[in-house]
Amino acid sequence: MMRQLLLRPGAEELNYEIRGIVKKARLIEDLGYSITWENIGDPIQKNNTIPDWMKAIVSELVQDDHSYGYADSKGMLETRKFLADLNNEKGGVKIGSEDILFFNGLGDGIAKLYQFLTPTARIIGPSPAYSTHSSAEAAHANSAPLTYKLDPDNNWYPDMEDLYNKVKYNTSVVGILIINPDNPTGMVYPREVLDRFVEIAREFNLLLIADEIYQNITYNGYKAIGLAEILGDDLPGISLKGISKEFPWPGSRCGWMEFYNKHTSEEFTKLCITLENAKMIEVCSTTLPQLAIPKIMSHPAYKEYRVTANAAIGTRSRIMEEVLGNVKGIKFNKTKGAFYNTVIFDEGVLEEDQFLPVEDDAIKVHLEKWLQEKDMPNDKRFVYNLLASEKICVVPVSSFCSDLRGFRVTLLEENEDVFRNTFERLAKSINTYLNSSKKVLLDQ
């Protein structure tokens, strides 16, 4: 026994099944099998090719000695001015370079944001929830995450009545988190829903936080509306952005916050200053990717590059809809933005005794061990069976702070034939799994 407890209450809420399941997949890899990775949003892992003009910009910057030095604590001034101008072109809330703060990836920024909130101040976020947000919010509050429901029977739009009542009757709620486009569902918020968020925030004097890292990744006619465009001039807001997904450059670990209407609330002003001071103590965020941002985003090829990349994701989303859209036993919603889709099993179709065939005895041993986990949700049982049987690695929805049961996949595989094959195998596995229980067999 240690002399004192090491962990504070709430710390055990930190969980990241998106990467946790990799450990299990690696065991199968060690047996000589290839894994189809559908667990994490890393375009590079899925053979995304960075264009030569983008590599040339980074290569040229590396030749400049200044790229090896510290950045300004808040971020490179030239880059912050560039990003402020980009925001101001939208015609909503206007910001300047002093309203932007860089972090070593959005994960760093999210952790800092929740770290400095008083434990009794709660940020309510969507469920299914992106684990980085829900885990950090729960850890800071020493409690389970506080969430509002996204509805799979209504295009994954939020249940605004559920949100309103939770805000109204829980005075500890100080802010609302919006993820738009959404991870893990791939939903894009329509204007009327965003306006309702603003109405609720205005009625209860709340902070609005929008994770908008996917805001420029939409397709098939859908477009994301930014927080700055709907916030007005009387509410405090924070937009969370980055280049991990858009360039894509996930290994750069480069994200930033944009503070909107910083002086509308004394408490909000103090939060912004605290975050800036925390970054000064840390010194700064990584220099090289910050220097690259204005050069890449202003390059004449950049706009067409994103249009082409988005169109390709849109094509894959239509393939996914074609393959999974009519599979019995699941709820399927088309993907509109980001590059994820969350599939939900119909209520009552999952049973503990369902299984998929596994031919390799060594994999069977692993699977039997994994399935001994205490109080395992039934969607996790499916995910483990899928991994063992088809070597496809997905993430259970129960790991996204949700009472729903299903799984999240990505739309990142660049080879459309491989992509289609993956989801045809997945569709077949769903059908086999749902028809494998003793109950179904007896009914037949």
Side-chain angles (χ1 to χ4, degrees):
M1 292 289 290
M2 296 292 292
R3 184 178 184 179
Q4 294 283 345
L5 291 176
L6 296 180
L7 287 177
R8 66 180 179 84
E12 292 179 354
E13 291 289 343
L14 291 170
N15 178 45
Y16 202 57
E17 183 65 29
I18 296 169
R19 284 191 178 272
I21 198 169
V22 172
K23 296 178 182 178
K24 294 177 172 59
R26 294 295 186 205
L27 294 174
I28 295 178
E29 246 186 359
D30 290 343
L31 295 171
Y33 294 93
S34 296
I35 302 296
T36 301
W37 299 102
E38 291 294 333
N39 62 304
I40 196 163
D42 183 354
I44 308 304
Q45 186 187 63
K46 287 293 189 176
N47 305 312
N48 185 286
T49 302
I50 306 302
D52 289 340
W53 62 263
M54 195 179 294
K55 291 179 179 178
I57 289 173
V58 176
S59 297
E60 186 176 345
L61 285 169
V62 170
Q63 302 307 313
D64 184 348
D65 289 349
H66 289 94
S67 69
Y68 293 83
Y70 285 133
D72 295 341
S73 290
K74 295 181 71 169
M76 299 301 293
L77 180 58
E78 177 187 350
T79 302
R80 287 186 284 122
K81 286 180 178 178
F82 174 82
L83 293 172
D85 289 343
L86 274 187
N87 173 82
N88 296 343
E89 288 173 2
K90 297 176 181 178
V93 178
K94 297 292 192 293
I95 59 173
S97 60
E98 292 303 300
D99 298 308
I100 294 177
L101 180 61
F102 269 86
F103 294 88
N104 290 313
L106 270 194
D108 174 35
I110 290 166
K112 290 287 197 307
L113 173 62
Y114 292 112
Q115 175 184 344
F116 293 111
L117 295 176
T118 179
T120 56
R122 303 303 303 272
I123 303 294
I124 188 169
S127 172
Y130 177 50
S131 307
T132 301
H133 281 288
S134 59
S135 292
E137 202 279 335
H140 111 269
N142 302 332
S143 179
L146 193 59
T147 61
Y148 59 90
K149 297 175 183 177
L150 301 180
D151 186 358
D153 293 314
N154 184 28
N155 301 295
W156 282 119
Y157 294 158
D159 182 335
M160 300 308 286
E161 183 178 359
D162 177 58
L163 172 62
Y164 183 85
N165 287 330
K166 285 176 176 174
V167 168
K168 181 178 180 179
Y169 296 109
N170 189 342
T171 56
S172 65
V173 175
V174 299
I176 301 172
L177 170 68
I178 306 165
I179 304 178
N180 184 35
D182 184 62
N183 177 9
T185 69
M187 174 264 294
V188 175
Y189 286 95
R191 177 73 189 232
E192 59 269 22
V193 171
L194 292 170
D195 286 341
R196 182 59 180 146
F197 278 117
V198 171
E199 290 172 3
I200 294 172
R202 187 169 287 124
E203 179 177 347
F204 296 102
N205 299 315
L206 303 179
L207 166 67
L208 279 176
I209 302 169
D211 186 329
E212 299 181 322
I213 196 166
Y214 298 100
Q215 71 169 177
N216 293 322
I217 304 178
T218 57
Y219 32 84
N220 297 338
Y222 295 96
K223 190 177 186 304
I225 300 170
L227 180 63
E229 299 174 70
I230 52 100
L231 191 60
D233 59 7
D234 61 333
L235 282 176
I238 299 176
S239 173
L240 307 173
K241 295 176 179 171
I243 62 174
S244 291
K245 314 299 183 178
E246 187 175 329
F247 278 18
W249 195 358
S252 71
R253 307 315 305 134
C254 183
W256 65 91
M257 291 182 187
E258 295 175 359
F259 300 129
Y260 302 143
N261 302 323
K262 195 158 58 176
H263 303 295
T264 56
S265 159
E266 183 180 350
E267 285 297 311
F268 182 53
T269 302
K270 288 194 292 185
L271 173 62
C272 296
I273 292 172
T274 298
L275 290 167
E276 292 167 6
N277 288 341
K279 181 51 66 173
M280 281 193 286
I281 292 171
E282 189 181 317
V283 181
C284 69
S285 298
T286 309
T287 301
L288 179 63
Q290 291 185 48
L291 291 171
I293 287 172
K295 293 182 180 295
I296 290 174
M297 287 187 170
S298 62
H299 191 280
Y302 185 70
K303 185 176 181 181
E304 182 56 36
Y305 164 72
R306 275 272 31 112
V307 168
T308 302
N310 287 352
I313 301 171
T315 297
R316 295 194 291 271
S317 77
R318 294 193 296 273
I319 293 173
M320 182 184 291
E321 183 180 8
E322 178 188 333
V323 175
L324 294 183
N326 294 315
V327 173
K328 292 182 179 179
I330 63 172
K331 292 181 175 69
F332 179 85
N333 285 281
K334 65 173 64 176
T335 308
K336 302 171 183 177
F339 34 62
Y340 308 101
N341 191 291
T342 292
V343 176
I344 299 301
F345 287 104
D346 290 338
E347 190 171 347
V349 301
L350 290 179
E351 304 286 346
E352 284 192 10
D353 63 345
Q354 289 163 330
F355 65 94
L356 287 173
V358 178
E359 295 180 1
D360 190 312
D361 289 340
I363 296 179
K364 283 182 182 178
V365 171
H366 287 311
L367 178 60
E368 289 170 2
K369 183 177 179 181
W370 300 341
L371 295 177
Q372 291 173 10
E373 183 179 316
K374 187 178 180 182
D375 300 324
M376 179 182 293
N378 281 341
D379 59 346
K380 206 170 186 179
R381 298 182 71 87
F382 169 77
V383 165
Y384 287 166
N385 271 274
L386 181 68
L387 179 59
S389 179
E390 285 293 331
K391 322 305 182 290
I392 298 174
C393 185
V394 301
V395 188
V397 170
S398 55
S399 296
F400 289 97
C401 191
S402 175
D403 292 332
L404 298 170
R405 295 294 175 256
F407 54 90
R408 188 195 75 168
V409 292
T410 77
L411 293 91
L412 288 171
E413 175 55 59
E414 296 279 336
N415 185 313
E416 289 182 9
D417 290 335
V418 173
F419 183 85
R420 180 181 290 274
N421 176 262
T422 296
F423 285 93
E424 286 177 346
R425 288 160 53 209
L426 178 55
K428 183 179 179 182
S429 294
I430 292 170
N431 182 65
T432 300
Y433 190 79
L434 295 184
N435 286 285
S436 67
S437 71
K438 293 177 182 177
K439 178 182 176 182
V440 172
L441 292 173
L442 286 172
D443 290 343
Q444 293 174 347

